[in-house]
Amino acid sequence: MRDPSYDILVATAGREIAGLVDLWTFPDFGEGANTSMIQNLVVTSKFRRRGIAYALVKHVVKLAKKRGAKEVHVSTGMRNKKAIALYRNNGFMKLYAFLEKSPV
């Protein structure tokens, strides 16, 4: 993917992929600056509970800052307590409802 507004970081353990996170950064008219959004964060079950997700989030937030983002957004299921705790431990706050509708 050669889109300069998109980054993907991959965590490896030896020759295995342990996890990944991707980040979209785009101009936000309302903020008057760039905003970044974590689209996906995945750690394979074999490598969970080792701090990999925490490290990926921490790293991608630094990358968002480098990209000039004023904010980093992420969404997860309301019942995904582990993901919510992970993001809160990385300084994220619950601010808004994220709504979704299929165009079909």
Side-chain angles (χ1 to χ4, degrees):
M1 303 209 42
R2 295 181 185 203
D3 185 336
S5 64
Y6 178 76
D7 295 282
I8 185 165
L9 295 105
V10 177
T12 58
R15 298 179 66 97
E16 294 182 72
I17 294 176
L20 65 85
V21 62
D22 63 354
L23 184 77
W24 289 97
T25 303
F26 49 90
D28 185 334
F29 175 77
E31 291 297 333
N34 284 345
T35 293
S36 289
M37 176 169 255
I38 296 171
Q39 186 71 29
N40 298 286
L41 172 64
V42 180
V43 175
T44 61
S45 57
K46 177 179 177 180
F47 294 104
R48 290 186 187 148
R49 304 192 56 82
R50 298 183 188 188
I52 294 169
Y54 184 88
L56 284 169
V57 171
K58 190 171 183 166
H59 195 80
V60 84
V61 168
K62 287 181 185 178
L63 182 57
K65 182 178 179 179
K66 182 179 174 183
R67 299 279 185 253
K70 184 175 179 182
E71 297 177 340
V72 179
H73 297 235
V74 65
S75 67
T76 190
M78 292 175 59
R79 293 189 177 114
N80 192 343
K81 295 183 188 314
K82 289 180 181 179
I84 292 167
L86 167 72
Y87 293 120
R88 286 198 170 170
N89 286 335
N90 268 286
F92 286 75
M93 299 177 289
K94 183 178 177 183
L95 296 177
Y96 306 102
F98 183 81
L99 307 173
E100 185 176 280
K101 180 179 180 358
S102 172
V104 188

